[in-house]
């Protein structure tokens, strides 16, 4: 709409300045003389369409009906003039259509005031543009009525108004784009936070499940020591020596899982140095119970790579892909369920491949694989995981992610520069 508005304003101005007569003098002069009416009302149509689409007033409101009515009338008149270009008596109608032309300026000013009152994005710049146009139009009207003497270059009034209006409309558009970018960034942060809370909930549930056995074992060992101490103190020392390593192993396991959870969520918005394979191992310990329950084997082939980047974002990416592979494999009846994790140093870049043998991705799912609200898990999925994964890869790792099928399953390929 803005581009069409600019084009028709330029064409209308060229007609008013006489360029059409200079370049199209060999054509029918009636057509050339009357084309400005068509251009004028087409210009007004797009001038009215701009606030209609930019501010998007709600249906059934006065502003909506007023703008829509004027758009329809202006379009109809433009079509009428277009069909009557070759007729001289077209000028008979201009005294009626002039009223509409002069009505548009105050209407747009009213719309700009309404936009400011409703605190809509870009409303101040749009108001300044319409206020400037209203002042120039008012001055022109006073000159026509004889209240002021016309200035020597009276012809610059309309071009000046148009130029200023276009500048202010451009500023309004610029502020709208900035606001959209801000909203997009806020939505992205909201998605990241949502995903982190979802992942946190899943990990806490996994943690509780993994803690059951060592806590039960700790309780059993302590009860055993208490019983031996009460019933047969002579055997207590030997039993204590046998039991303590088991207690220490249980405490060590609990401590390691707590550290894994802490490391996973530490410094989500800051870059930090970490050894990638070590953090992947830490992540695998978090989901170990899921892997064991579903009889899934992890096969790793990792280069030793240290990197400075957003560790939490990286782990979220890996976890999201692993969760999808685990889900797909959990629905397969097989004794050979595997997930292959390959990490390669490519000099300036790092390549991560996560592959499974779950049968692959359906061909009609590839186009929507990384879109919001799509999930192959049906009601069991949120439709956020892979979409957020793609955003994290692109925005946090400055990398790319692709998915493809192999002979036995699906593979996700992530390439990102070092230091991301």
């Amino acid at each position: 709409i803005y581009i069409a508005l600019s084009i028709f304003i330029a064409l209308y101005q060229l007609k008013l300045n006489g360029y059409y007569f200079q370049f199209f003098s060999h054509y029918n002069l009636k057509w050339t003389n009357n084309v400005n009416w068509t251009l004028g009302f087409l210009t007004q149509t797009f001038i009215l369409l701009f606030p209609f689409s930019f501010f998007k007033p709600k249906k059934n409101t006065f502003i909506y009906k007023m703008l829509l009515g004027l758009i329809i009338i202006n379009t109809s008149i433009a079509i009428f003039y277009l069909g009557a270009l070759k007729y001289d008596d077209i000028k008979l109608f201009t005294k009626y259509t002039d009223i509409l032309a002069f009505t548009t300026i105050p209407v747009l000013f009213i719309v700009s005031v309404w936009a400011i009152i409703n605190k809509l994005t870009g409303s101040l710049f749009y108001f300044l543009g319409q206020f400037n146009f209203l002042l120039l139009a008012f001055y022109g009207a006073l000159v026509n009525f004889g209240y002021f003497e016309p200035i020597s270059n009276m012809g610059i009034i309309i071009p000046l108004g148009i130029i200023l209006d276009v500048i202010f409309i451009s500023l309004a558009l610029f502020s709208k784009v900035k606001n959209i970018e801000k909203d997009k960034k806020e939505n992205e942060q909201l998605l990241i936070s949502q995903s982190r809370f979802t992942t946190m909930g899943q990990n806490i549930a996994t943690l509780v499940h993994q803690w059951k056995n060592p806590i039960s074992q700790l309780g059993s060992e302590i009860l055993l020591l208490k019983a031996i101490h009460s019933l047969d103190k002579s055997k207590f020392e030997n039993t204590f020596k046998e039991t303590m390593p088991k207690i220490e192993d249980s405490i060590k396991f609990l401590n390691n899982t707590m550290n894994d959870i802490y490391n996973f969520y530490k410094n989500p918005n800051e870059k930090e140095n970490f050894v990638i394979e070590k953090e992947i191992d830490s992540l695998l310990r978090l989901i170990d119970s899921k892997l064991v329950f579903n009889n899934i084997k992890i096969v790793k082939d990792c280069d030793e790579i240290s990197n400075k980047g957003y560790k939490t974002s990286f782990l979220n990416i890996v976890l999201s892909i692993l969760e999808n592979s685990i889900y797909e494999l959990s629905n397969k009846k097989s004794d050979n369920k595997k997930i292959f994790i390959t990490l390669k140093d490519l000099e300036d870049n790092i390549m991560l491949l996560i592959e499974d043998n779950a049968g692959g991705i359906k061909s009609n799912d590839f186009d929507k694989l990384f879109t919001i609200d799509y999930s192959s898990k049906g009601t069991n999925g949120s439709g956020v995981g892979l979409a957020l994964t793609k955003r994290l890869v692109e925005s946090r790792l400055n990398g790319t992610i692709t998915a493809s099928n192999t002979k036995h399953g699906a593979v996700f390929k992530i390439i990102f520069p070092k230091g991301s």
Side-chain angles (χ1 to χ4, degrees):
I1 290 169
Y2 178 68
I3 291 168
L5 166 63
S6 303
I7 290 170
F8 279 107
I9 284 176
L11 290 173
Y12 183 60
Q13 191 57 42
L14 287 170
K15 171 63 181 72
L16 290 180
N17 290 343
Y19 283 98
Y20 285 21
F21 292 103
Q22 182 179 348
F23 293 105
F24 303 108
S25 57
H26 55 287
Y27 287 100
N28 190 321
L29 287 178
K30 292 179 181 178
W31 287 59
T32 310
N33 191 45
N34 291 329
V35 75
N36 66 306
W37 300 108
T38 301
L39 289 174
F41 284 99
L42 279 174
T43 301
Q44 283 202 164
T45 298
F46 284 102
I47 285 173
L48 290 159
L49 273 169
F50 182 83
F52 188 77
S53 61
F54 187 77
F55 294 122
K56 294 181 173 60
K58 292 181 180 179
K59 288 184 179 180
N60 300 321
T61 60
F62 173 72
I63 295 293
Y64 179 91
K65 291 176 181 177
M66 181 172 62
L67 282 173
L68 184 61
L70 282 173
I71 289 166
I72 292 170
I73 293 169
N74 273 278
T75 305
S76 301
I77 293 173
I79 293 169
F80 164 76
Y81 278 134
L82 186 64
L85 288 177
K86 62 181 179 179
Y87 299 108
D88 280 334
D89 53 356
I90 190 174
K91 295 176 182 176
L92 295 173
F93 298 96
T94 59
K95 63 181 180 181
Y96 303 110
T97 53
D98 277 348
I99 297 171
L100 181 66
F102 284 109
T103 302
T104 300
I105 296 174
V107 164
L108 291 174
F109 180 74
I110 292 168
V111 170
S112 68
V113 172
W114 163 82
I116 282 185
I117 292 170
N118 286 275
K119 298 178 181 179
L120 302 180
T121 305
S123 56
L124 178 60
F125 292 118
Y126 187 75
F127 168 81
L128 291 172
Q130 302 317 309
F131 182 69
N132 133 75
F133 225 115
L134 187 66
L135 281 179
L136 291 174
F138 185 65
Y139 172 75
L142 290 177
V143 169
N144 285 335
F145 289 128
Y147 289 100
F148 291 110
E149 287 293 323
I151 59 175
S152 57
N153 295 314
M154 193 67 185
I156 68 167
I157 291 293
I158 292 178
L160 179 62
I162 288 171
I163 290 168
L164 289 173
D165 195 41
V166 167
I167 289 171
F168 284 120
I169 286 176
S170 301
L171 289 170
L173 278 169
F174 179 70
S175 64
K176 185 92 166 182
V177 169
K178 280 186 70 178
N179 195 60
I180 289 169
E181 288 296 323
K182 182 183 175 185
D183 289 344
K184 184 180 176 183
K185 199 167 184 179
E186 287 175 354
N187 289 336
E188 188 172 294
Q189 288 302 318
L190 186 64
L191 271 175
I192 292 170
S193 298
Q194 179 186 340
S195 176
R196 285 185 66 230
F197 279 119
T198 303
T199 308
M200 189 184 293
Q202 292 171 346
N203 285 340
I204 288 171
T206 303
L207 183 68
V208 170
H209 182 76
Q210 290 184 178
W211 273 16
K212 283 181 180 178
N213 287 336
I215 288 174
S216 297
Q217 189 174 341
L218 271 173
S220 299
E221 302 295 343
I222 291 168
L223 283 173
L224 176 63
L225 287 174
K226 287 175 72 176
I228 295 295
H229 186 268
S230 300
L231 300 174
D232 191 353
K233 288 185 174 62
S234 62
K235 295 181 180 180
F236 181 78
E237 187 175 346
N238 289 334
T239 306
F240 181 80
K241 288 179 180 179
E242 292 174 3
T243 306
M244 276 309 295
K246 296 178 183 178
I247 292 174
E248 288 172 351
D249 286 343
S250 296
I251 292 172
K252 187 177 179 181
F253 176 84
L254 294 173
N255 186 56
N256 286 339
T257 51
M258 280 299 298
N259 286 335
D260 290 339
I261 286 283
Y262 173 74
N263 287 330
F264 187 90
Y265 292 104
K266 185 179 69 173
N267 296 330
N269 295 313
E270 295 178 14
K271 285 188 174 184
E272 54 188 306
N273 290 305
F274 62 99
V275 179
I276 297 179
E277 184 183 7
K278 182 180 176 182
E279 296 305 327
I280 290 175
D281 287 339
S282 172
L283 183 60
L284 291 173
R285 286 196 295 270
L286 283 178
I287 59 173
D288 183 65
S289 60
K290 287 184 180 180
L291 296 169
V292 172
F293 180 78
N294 291 291
N295 194 29
I296 299 170
K297 183 181 179 183
I298 298 291
V299 180
K300 288 195 308 163
D301 177 17
C302 297
D303 291 346
E304 188 174 334
I305 306 171
S306 294
N307 187 47
K308 184 174 183 179
Y310 296 106
K311 185 182 75 176
T312 302
S313 296
F314 174 79
L315 291 176
N316 264 300
I317 291 163
V318 177
L319 179 61
S320 177
I321 298 171
L322 287 174
E323 290 280 4
N324 275 277
S325 292
I326 292 169
Y327 176 82
E328 295 299 330
L329 286 167
S330 68
N331 294 319
K332 301 291 178 183
K333 292 182 179 179
S334 171
D335 295 327
N336 187 34
K337 300 177 184 179
K338 291 181 180 179
I339 296 175
F340 303 88
I341 300 174
T342 305
L343 183 70
K344 292 297 175 185
D345 190 335
L346 306 179
E347 294 186 2
D348 294 330
N349 294 317
I350 297 168
M351 181 180 72
L352 175 68
L353 299 176
I354 301 177
E355 182 183 346
D356 60 52
N357 60 350
I361 302 164
K362 294 177 183 177
S363 58
N364 58 340
D365 287 347
F366 272 106
D367 291 339
K368 46 193 176 180
L369 195 62
F370 295 107
T371 57
I372 291 288
D373 295 333
Y374 167 74
S375 175
S376 62
K377 302 173 186 175
T379 55
N380 294 319
S382 64
V384 173
L386 288 178
L388 178 60
T389 298
K390 182 177 171 62
R391 289 191 185 185
L392 285 174
V393 169
E394 293 174 347
S395 62
R396 286 300 180 95
L397 304 189
N398 297 317
T400 59
I401 179 170
T402 55
S404 59
N405 281 333
T406 61
K407 186 177 179 180
H408 301 291
V411 59
F412 286 85
K413 181 179 182 180
I414 299 169
I415 297 178
F416 60 97
K418 291 180 179 178
S420 299

